[in-house]
Amino acid sequence: MSIKNFTKKLLVWYDLNKRDLPWRNSINPYIIWVSEIILQQTRIEQGLPYFKKFINKYPNVFELSRANLDELMNIWQGLGYYSRATNMHKASKIIVQEFSGDFPVSYESLVKLPGIGDYTASAISSICNNECKIVVDGNVMRLFSRLFDLRKEVNSIGLKNQIKFIGDKLISKSKPGDFNQALMDFGSMVCSPKNYKCGNCIFSKDCIAFKNNTIDLLPVKKAKVMIKTRYFNYLIGLSNNDKVKIIKRNKKDIWQDLYEFPLVETNHEIDISETGKKFKKISYFNSKKVIKKLTINHKLTHQNLNIYFWIFKTNFEDKNCIKINDLESYPFPKPLFEIISQIK
Ligand code: SF4
């Protein structure tokens, strides 16, 4: 299982074709860390403005460690997988307290930090510390599965181990960071999921999937996961002083640490006749005072959310009620943020 001159060919290709990205010429581990975390589960075009905003606001680990969590979540708003941001915040505090702000660059130290797994530790340690640790992300899994006809299920430990075994032999000893970034770029720019460019591929003579015409079958897809359907009812009580109650989500569930309105989750869509019974824990809700009901459907990877906003008038106010005009300064999940303009 070898391809002649693989490493050399890949590095030459990278020198000629690498994407011009703001973190590309940096070996600052803080910059590499921020870029790698933002780009997890996120396309470069989507992640790039977030990276710029983030670095602008928190240019180094000290600034991030002092960040107000709500402000940080505001920057992250819309990017999803919010635990990435809270873990970065926790990690930054550890780096300041235990490493005096000197960002660790060794794989062994990095994997001990919150939110840093094998992939991120490999990326940072290879780019910033020349460690020969191959990165295995979705692009690399697809590329290697096709090149070497690997038939293990995508994202499985078995496939990752097999790729590490092959990659350990191929990785450039002098430029492991460039090698890893080249693999990721090549996987995404040439060996793409659907629009693969085999005609321009420097490895087409050796690629087994190309030879066998099995490109579309690789990498082997995961068995379909069950999609859960949920029904969220948000009770938006508008007070006489133009205030509305908001609550921070702190349960271990989606959108942790973001804000929301009082929520009642039901197991089906309910109509106004059922609200008395279903919303009884929100004592100030009055079905006769409902002004409108808005609906949004929001899809997450494994959840289909049917979200209903019940907007009503109330006299109720408590310490968690804030001015409607101030809502936009709080970090809300995307579908809730979208509704704010309609309740003003
Ligand atoms: S020949 Fe095609 S399938 Fe094989 S590595 Fe190149 S782009 Fe991917």
Side-chain angles (χ1 to χ4, degrees):
M1 200 178 273
S2 72
I3 295 179
K4 209 167 166 236
N5 291 330
F6 178 88
T7 311
K8 199 170 154 197
K9 280 185 187 169
L10 183 68
L11 289 175
V12 169
W13 176 89
Y14 182 63
D15 276 345
L16 296 172
N17 297 287
K18 71 174 159 192
R19 286 179 286 199
D20 182 20
L21 298 167
W23 52 88
R24 264 296 149 75
N25 295 317
S26 173
I27 53 164
N28 176 338
Y30 177 74
I31 301 282
I32 302 297
W33 176 56
V34 173
S35 69
E36 291 296 343
I37 301 287
I38 287 180
L39 291 184
Q40 283 169 17
Q41 323 274 349
T42 306
R43 283 174 299 107
I44 287 195
E45 307 76 57
Q46 193 203 353
L48 202 49
Y50 282 90
F51 171 82
K52 289 180 179 161
K53 240 189 318 177
F54 193 102
I55 292 295
N56 211 11
K57 177 94 178 157
Y58 310 114
N60 55 54
V61 74
F62 294 100
E63 296 288 342
L64 180 58
S65 71
R66 288 192 287 267
N68 169 296
L69 192 56
D70 282 352
E71 279 177 18
L72 173 59
M73 297 310 260
N74 248 335
I75 292 217
W76 207 268
Q77 190 167 268
L79 199 52
Y81 298 97
Y82 294 90
S83 59
R84 288 184 290 176
T86 43
N87 277 332
M88 285 180 91
H89 196 226
K90 283 184 205 153
S92 69
K93 285 179 182 294
I94 296 172
I95 293 167
V96 167
Q97 280 157 16
E98 295 180 19
F99 296 82
S100 311
D102 204 0
F103 207 105
V105 288
S106 77
Y107 179 93
E108 294 310 325
S109 314
L110 287 161
V111 278
K112 292 183 188 136
L113 292 168
I116 298 193
D118 171 69
Y119 167 79
T120 311
S122 298
I124 301 173
S125 65
S126 64
I127 296 169
C128 310
N129 199 33
N130 272 330
E131 286 185 45
C132 292
K133 296 276 186 192
I134 185 169
V135 290
V136 186
D137 72 346
N139 290 316
V140 179
M141 277 189 265
R142 184 174 58 253
L143 175 63
F144 273 50
S145 293
R146 289 171 175 174
L147 277 174
F148 302 110
D149 194 29
L150 310 180
R151 299 292 177 104
K152 294 199 166 79
E153 193 179 84
V154 71
N155 283 321
S156 64
I157 302 282
L159 179 63
K160 287 183 183 171
N161 286 343
Q162 207 173 0
I163 292 175
K164 275 176 184 283
F165 182 77
I166 301 168
D168 279 348
K169 296 189 175 51
L170 296 175
I171 194 165
S172 163
K173 306 289 175 283
S174 56
K175 292 180 171 177
D178 277 7
F179 179 87
N180 275 337
Q181 294 182 92
L183 275 185
M184 292 188 264
D185 273 9
F186 194 86
S188 111
M189 294 162 69
V190 182
C191 197
S192 333
K194 293 235 153 51
N195 300 318
Y196 34 82
K197 301 174 184 69
C198 304
N200 294 328
C201 177
I202 49 175
F203 301 121
S204 58
K205 278 205 189 84
D206 300 290
C207 173
I208 302 180
F210 182 62
K211 222 179 278 172
N212 296 344
N213 200 15
T214 53
I215 306 167
D216 281 325
L217 305 177
L218 294 167
V220 174
K221 312 258 176 322
K222 237 185 166 152
K224 273 217 156 75
V225 287
M226 284 285 286
I227 306 279
K228 190 174 167 188
T229 299
R230 299 174 77 177
Y231 301 85
F232 284 5
N233 294 275
Y234 281 114
L235 306 193
I236 305 181
L238 308 176
S239 81
N240 301 332
N241 297 321
D242 287 333
K243 287 189 169 183
V244 63
K245 183 174 170 106
I246 62 168
I247 302 163
K248 194 170 194 169
R249 283 178 72 86
N250 44 28
K251 269 201 261 158
K252 244 196 166 323
D253 194 354
I254 56 167
W255 301 336
Q256 204 178 347
D257 291 317
L258 297 185
Y259 285 83
E260 64 180 358
F261 306 102
L263 169 68
V264 178
E265 188 167 354
T266 48
N267 53 17
H268 63 280
E269 178 177 3
I270 58 166
D271 63 31
I272 194 99
S273 65
E274 295 174 273
T275 53
K277 202 162 141 206
K278 296 285 184 191
F279 299 166
K280 63 173 184 272
K281 73 171 190 183
I282 313 287
S283 58
Y284 57 91
F285 175 79
N286 181 345
S287 62
K288 293 198 181 81
K289 298 278 175 73
V290 170
I291 308 164
K292 56 182 167 179
K293 179 188 174 192
L294 301 170
T295 305
I296 285 189
N297 178 262
H298 187 69
K299 287 186 172 32
L300 300 170
T301 321
H302 301 135
Q303 298 192 24
N304 183 8
L305 304 179
N306 296 298
I307 309 176
Y308 310 104
F309 299 90
W310 297 84
I311 302 172
F312 59 99
K313 286 278 184 195
T314 179
N315 294 326
F316 174 86
E317 268 185 29
D318 71 4
K319 64 177 178 19
N320 292 319
C321 290
I322 62 156
K323 282 270 185 206
I324 294 169
N325 282 341
D326 291 337
L327 283 171
E328 277 161 355
S329 60
Y330 286 80
F332 282 92
K334 204 165 168 222
L336 276 67
F337 195 76
E338 281 167 8
I339 219 78
I340 290 175
S341 60
Q342 299 189 48
I343 60 176
K344 276 185 177 174

